[in-house]
Amino acid sequence: MVRLPKAALVIGAAAFVGVGVAGAAMAQAPAGNQQSMPKNWSYEIKNGKRVPKANRVTNPDGSWREEVSRAGCVTIREKSAAGEYREIRRCG
């Protein structure tokens, strides 16, 4: 059996515990931690693919309208201030 000095054992044990603490800290990190895309980009990434961003216009009364162009079709989504939702698809 090889004899190691006490100092080497203490340093080895401290390194082992340090790795365990770092591993536990990484395990507690949320899995959905994604960085947001810059606002001036024309697309966002969903399911690993580029998807065009919607052009949303929000009004002061809370209503909004957005248009999404995809594969030759335009989808228009609208929501009124009263909460009525409407979606229209136009393909041409």
Side-chain angles (χ1 to χ4, degrees):
M1 188 163 139
V2 178
R3 300 187 95 191
L4 295 173
K6 267 188 178 179
L9 289 175
V10 171
I11 292 172
F16 182 73
V17 170
V19 169
V21 170
M26 288 179 14
Q28 292 177 356
N33 187 11
Q34 297 179 357
Q35 296 179 351
S36 62
M37 302 293 286
K39 293 192 181 278
N40 61 350
W41 285 15
S42 63
Y43 65 89
E44 53 193 357
I45 297 179
K46 291 185 180 178
N47 296 328
K49 297 180 181 178
R50 289 184 183 184
V51 178
K53 272 189 182 178
N55 297 325
R56 181 178 280 201
V57 177
T58 306
N59 299 321
D61 63 355
S63 62
W64 52 266
R65 173 188 169 99
E66 70 180 19
E67 294 184 20
V68 179
S69 299
R70 198 172 301 156
C73 295
V74 177
T75 303
I76 300 171
R77 296 183 182 117
E78 297 177 324
K79 188 168 186 180
S80 68
E84 299 168 348
Y85 177 78
R86 184 169 63 172
E87 186 172 314
I88 303 167
R89 288 194 179 114
R90 295 186 185 146
C91 296

